Amino acid sequence: MAGARTFPHRHLLGIAELEAADIVQILDLADHHLVLGQEPIKKLATLRGRTVINLFFESSTRTRTSFELAAKRLGADAVNISPSTSSTTKGETLLDTARNLDAMAPDVVIVRHDKGGAPHVLSRHLRCAVVNAGDGQHEHPTQALLDANTIRRHKGRIEGLEIAIIGDLAHSRVARSNVLALTRLGARLRLCAPRTLMPRGIEDIGGEESRTRTRIVHQLEPALEGADVVMMLRTQTERTTGEAPRFPSSREYARTFGLNARTVELAKPDAIVMHPGPVNRGVELAADVADGPRAVILEQVSWGVAVRMAVLELLGVAPAEPAVGA
Ligand code: NCD
């Protein structure tokens, strides 16, 4: 049930490539799939006979599992490959690995890689559709889409909302995809991080659209005051091993940039609290807020399956292209 509109993309590489209408098309189809996820029998035949490969070079719990479930619930066969069990440990390049997988004729390859741009390279060499499940510090489009669905469900709209994105923006592909998606859908953003975790120019990544709708702040209070949505980000210390630390200590970070029972009160009374996971409890987010009534973190995970079903449905029904160089 892909709807009347033909989705105009062969791959999902980033939010940067999507128009607002493309985003809305995915969100609307995901609405439909969320309902299906609540039925006792969840399986459809939309992608029966199709093959989806999950190629994950970085660790993942939510994203990998939800892509696998999404593929299976659409009736496709899903195969998972991780670096510890693949020949990349024997020195094979990403492109060789991907070309060999492509020779087995999958319809969709979903890739997570620590290098920004890896899915884009694959999309130029493979016959099948390529989906970016997170590339380095660049984009994580399906996370931004599931976040948008979660917000829309709670607030009825995205346009005109005040959304605070707080935390390690420097390393966050989630933040970059959300800046692009949420400003494209008309939200106003407050991006908040210590100076050491704020990438220069992040407000410009969507051009005029993101520049005019984004405010950079380096203190928690102005980011939170009057916010409709508070999205917290994990401090990604694994990406800075061997470098000088970006903040004095986890305790100090929690005190100045952490969301807790006191600071959350600065947001609107009906504000929702989001986090892409995994949560560093007690660092960016206090446990009582993570488990409290405003948190929608597990709901985001449920939307993850629905959004990924929508993406696979829109991309996976098209026949694969002829072999490159064949
Ligand atoms: C995020 C990621 O991998 O980019 N997690 C996710 O996909 N849900 C965020 C993170 O690792 O902090």
Side-chain angles (χ1 to χ4, degrees):
M1 215 267 347
R5 183 180 188 261
T6 304
F7 191 67
H9 302 276
R10 174 99 192 86
H11 309 282
L12 179 65
L13 302 176
I15 300 292
E17 287 86 26
L18 302 182
E19 305 281 332
D22 304 330
I23 298 175
V24 171
Q25 185 175 7
I26 298 170
L27 302 191
D28 288 348
L29 188 54
D31 276 346
H32 172 81
H33 285 310
L34 190 83
V35 177
L36 179 84
Q38 288 146 3
E39 299 290 326
I41 295 170
K42 301 177 172 57
K43 206 146 175 153
L44 296 176
T46 322
L47 293 188
R48 191 164 56 200
R50 308 275 173 168
T51 307
V52 173
I53 297 183
N54 260 328
L55 181 58
F56 275 54
F57 293 93
E58 275 190 337
S59 47
S60 171
T61 306
R62 281 151 287 266
T63 308
R64 198 195 57 70
T65 310
S66 60
F67 266 117
E68 183 178 352
L69 282 178
K72 288 181 169 161
R73 286 183 188 174
L74 289 170
D77 294 313
V79 178
N80 295 308
I81 298 168
S82 58
S84 56
T85 57
S86 76
S87 285
T88 49
T89 56
K90 300 180 189 169
E92 188 171 58
T93 66
L94 167 67
L95 202 51
D96 278 337
T97 303
R99 278 199 177 118
N100 278 271
L101 296 174
D102 200 42
M104 300 179 213
D107 297 281
V108 186
V109 167
I110 297 153
V111 62
R112 170 170 282 196
H113 201 276
D114 65 349
K115 299 283 183 299
H120 304 68
V121 172
L122 294 191
S123 73
R124 290 196 287 274
H125 290 89
L126 306 189
R127 290 170 297 171
C128 62
V130 175
V131 177
N132 181 359
D135 62 327
Q137 294 156 36
H138 179 227
E139 278 228 46
H140 190 350
T142 54
Q143 179 70 42
L145 293 165
L146 73 90
D147 289 338
N149 260 123
T150 309
I151 295 169
R152 202 170 73 154
R153 168 59 59 98
H154 280 270
K155 300 290 164 194
R157 69 195 160 102
I158 289 176
E159 192 168 0
L161 290 180
E162 290 284 344
I163 301 178
I165 305 182
I166 301 168
D168 184 353
L169 284 130
H171 301 107
S172 182
R173 52 197 177 202
V174 173
R176 292 174 61 89
S177 288
N178 264 304
V179 169
L180 291 166
L182 296 174
T183 58
R184 197 149 295 167
L185 297 174
R188 285 194 296 272
L189 304 186
R190 300 103 177 260
L191 302 183
C192 173
R195 286 178 199 279
T196 51
L197 291 175
M198 180 66 82
R200 192 172 304 153
I202 187 169
E203 65 278 23
D204 291 331
I205 61 172
E208 185 68 13
E209 208 166 46
S210 63
R211 195 163 35 247
T212 54
R213 295 186 179 141
T214 301
R215 196 154 59 86
I216 303 286
V217 291
H218 296 292
Q219 280 180 330
L220 188 60
E221 289 73 15
L224 290 173
E225 275 158 16
D228 296 290
V229 175
V230 182
M231 186 184 294
M232 301 305 292
L233 300 173
R234 185 174 68 88
T235 48
Q236 301 194 20
T237 45
E238 80 277 13
R239 296 200 192 269
T240 53
T241 39
E243 292 176 23
R246 304 284 182 107
F247 49 89
S249 67
S250 297
R251 212 168 138 191
E252 173 68 11
Y253 185 90
R255 205 178 57 74
T256 45
F257 286 95
L259 192 69
N260 57 41
R262 181 182 57 81
T263 51
V264 75
E265 292 305 325
L266 294 168
K268 284 204 180 135
D270 63 350
I272 54 169
V273 173
M274 306 175 69
H275 193 301
V279 175
N280 281 322
R281 282 175 177 256
V283 184
E284 70 271 1
L285 191 56
D288 52 353
V289 181
D291 301 327
R294 295 165 186 257
V296 295
I297 298 168
L298 293 177
E299 200 181 308
Q300 288 172 262
V301 179
S302 305
W303 275 111
V305 180
V307 159
R308 288 164 182 136
M309 284 176 80
V311 167
L312 291 179
E313 178 170 343
L314 291 169
L315 300 178
V317 287
E321 283 168 358
V324 180

